[in-house]
Amino acid sequence: MSLMRVDNFGAGPCALPLEVLEEVAEEFPEYRDTGMTVIEMSHRSADYDAIHTDAMDRARRVAAAPEDFDVLFIQGGATLQFSMIPLNLLDEDMTAGYVVAGAWGKKALADALPLGGYTAWSGESSDYTTMPEPGAVEIAEDTRYLHVTSNETIGGIRMVDLPRTEVPLVNDMSSDYLARPIDWPRHDVVYGGVQKNLAPAGMALVFIRRSAIPERPGLGTYLRYSTHADGDSLANTPPMFQIYLMGKVLAHLETRGGVEGLQTRSHDKSALVYNAIEESDGFYRSPVDPRVRSHTNVVWRLPTEELEKRFVNEATGAGMVGLKGHRSVGGIRASLYAATEIPAVERLVDFMDDFAARHRS
Ligand SMILES: *Cc1c(COP(=O)(O)O)cnc(C)c1O
């Protein structure tokens, strides 16, 4: 059977490495000589335990997370973390600052507001096209943590420099997870939904400083970080397929230079697209501050919405899918996650050049 795989520029879920998918296909319906697939095994079995431990060790190794951080696998994606973070980290007399540089920071804040969250910086007045200057973030008294979003997936901007503050950071890295090094001493929590760079949807990969995990007997069992840390993310039945697949994606990433390799590839892929935008004589237009352009989600506009529709339709016809901008901002968005390779981006850029030549008035 010949494969008809498209170039998938979707914002998430997204493409996963073909080598990994083929390996998984080989291990279905029987994983090694166990007589069953991974998703049918007992999560208490030795076979599954090896998969679980391997994924956890690899995540720590690839991210270069220090020993005093726990690695947690938690269901509910990044969105459940928006609740778990303030529920666990905030006492009644504490507050938490939020950098709201886009739609995701805004959602994170919404869940923290009733528990002490406040806006430490907002980019709303500039339509979320830029990030704060490092010294521009305003920290209130009794601030337990400052929440940042390393890459705003919808607006297409990345935080190049972390805010200047003594307060520990909590960082939602969903859309550039492991595509840039992490400054661990500055962080208490680094987290992200895994469905962009690392695995199928349905799980968050959370790194949390062990000393930052409080006892919260008042919270529901699953909502406590201590449940997951004490139980090695096996307190209940974990999302085994996600963990199994993430282990394989991480192994694949390790063979390709780990975080540094992915960082370089992300930079190079996005540079190709930004270059095509810049060299289009104004046919394509990037709405974001050039200093903070995302390396994983490139957004741009065309002269009219009509042409944007046409661009997306023609691209789809040519085997390039997922290019429609988020419904809240419109335009075009190309997401260039880990499994999207340079040749796919080159095809996109060729298409962009050709489309501009045909439609430039
Ligand atoms: C996709 C995304 C989320 C939401 O992740 P879910 O796993 O769907 O909850 C949160 N934050 C950022 C930055 C994202 O890109």
Side-chain angles (χ1 to χ4, degrees):
M1 198 181 75
S2 71
L3 288 176
M4 284 291 290
R5 298 214 7 122
V6 293
D7 293 328
N8 183 351
F9 296 101
C14 57
L16 288 166
L18 182 59
E19 296 92 320
V20 168
L21 298 179
E22 285 172 343
E23 218 179 289
V24 171
E26 237 165 68
E27 291 175 352
F28 268 64
E30 187 182 3
Y31 178 76
R32 309 215 170 143
D33 53 1
T34 59
M36 60 180 85
T37 66
V38 171
I39 56 176
E40 296 166 303
M41 288 176 184
S42 164
H43 59 294
R44 306 288 174 206
S45 65
D47 286 311
Y48 177 70
D49 195 61
I51 291 168
H52 191 89
T53 308
D54 175 77
M56 209 170 255
D57 291 348
R58 267 184 217 282
R60 179 189 296 285
R61 192 159 70 232
V62 175
E67 275 306 315
D68 59 333
F69 277 74
D70 276 321
V71 183
L72 310 178
F73 305 145
I74 305 179
Q75 301 185 43
T79 299
L80 181 61
Q81 295 307 304
F82 294 166
S83 298
M84 280 182 70
I85 289 159
L87 283 170
N88 280 273
L89 265 52
L90 293 182
D91 284 329
E92 247 169 53
D93 53 354
M94 291 175 179
T95 63
Y98 279 71
V99 170
V100 181
W104 290 114
K106 193 171 173 178
K107 283 195 178 168
L109 172 62
D111 276 350
L113 271 177
L115 300 161
Y118 67 88
T119 305
W121 187 86
S122 171
E124 191 159 15
S125 61
S126 58
D127 282 336
Y128 300 128
T129 53
T130 192
M131 283 280 175
E133 294 294 335
V137 172
E138 288 181 37
I139 305 292
E141 245 175 77
D142 301 316
T143 296
R144 167 66 187 83
Y145 63 84
L146 176 67
H147 184 280
V148 298
T149 309
S150 62
N151 184 77
E152 280 286 355
T153 321
I154 294 173
I157 55 175
R158 68 193 282 263
M159 185 170 268
V160 178
D161 299 306
L162 294 173
R164 210 176 299 130
T165 171
E166 299 292 306
V167 170
L169 300 177
V170 171
N171 198 339
D172 174 3
M173 300 196 74
S174 298
S175 53
D176 61 0
Y177 223 176
L178 304 186
R180 60 196 298 181
I182 297 164
D183 185 355
W184 290 104
R186 301 280 321 270
H187 290 87
D188 268 4
V189 183
V190 168
Y191 72 101
V194 292
Q195 71 275 26
K196 278 131 192 172
N197 273 338
L198 302 175
M203 184 173 91
L205 171 63
V206 179
F207 297 94
I208 183 165
R209 190 181 292 282
R210 203 162 297 128
S211 61
I213 302 177
E215 288 303 325
R216 292 279 181 227
L219 284 183
T221 309
Y222 198 85
L223 294 176
R224 297 176 213 153
Y225 282 123
S226 59
T227 299
H228 303 282
D230 296 346
D232 289 325
S233 296
L234 280 163
N236 73 328
T237 320
M240 295 160 63
F241 187 72
Q242 278 77 358
I243 293 166
Y244 158 70
L245 221 135
M246 189 178 72
K248 288 191 184 296
V249 171
L250 290 169
H252 183 254
L253 193 57
E254 280 184 300
T255 66
R256 308 192 68 214
V259 168
E260 271 184 27
L262 183 53
Q263 183 178 31
T264 304
R265 289 193 297 281
S266 302
H267 170 272
D268 293 352
K269 287 185 289 182
S270 62
L272 286 173
V273 184
Y274 288 119
N275 211 34
I277 293 171
E278 266 156 33
E279 300 197 334
S280 70
D281 282 335
F283 183 77
Y284 300 119
R285 186 170 45 82
S286 162
V288 308
D289 178 351
R291 295 171 303 170
V292 297
R293 296 190 301 203
S294 171
H295 292 178
T296 45
N297 310 98
V298 182
V299 300
W300 70 94
R301 304 299 308 240
L302 272 67
T304 64
E305 286 186 17
E306 192 49 47
L307 278 170
E308 287 170 347
K309 263 194 206 126
R310 221 156 140 165
F311 181 96
V312 171
N313 288 339
E314 285 190 24
T316 305
M320 291 170 245
V321 307
L323 287 161
K324 192 168 184 290
H326 190 269
R327 58 188 184 279
S328 64
V329 294
I332 311 291
R333 171 173 53 173
S335 295
L336 312 172
Y337 296 127
T340 300
E341 299 292 350
I342 295 264
V345 182
E346 286 171 343
R347 284 191 285 275
L348 172 63
V349 165
D350 284 346
F351 173 79
M352 287 171 74
D353 292 346
D354 179 60
F355 189 90
R358 283 186 286 117
H359 294 283
R360 204 182 270 120
S361 50

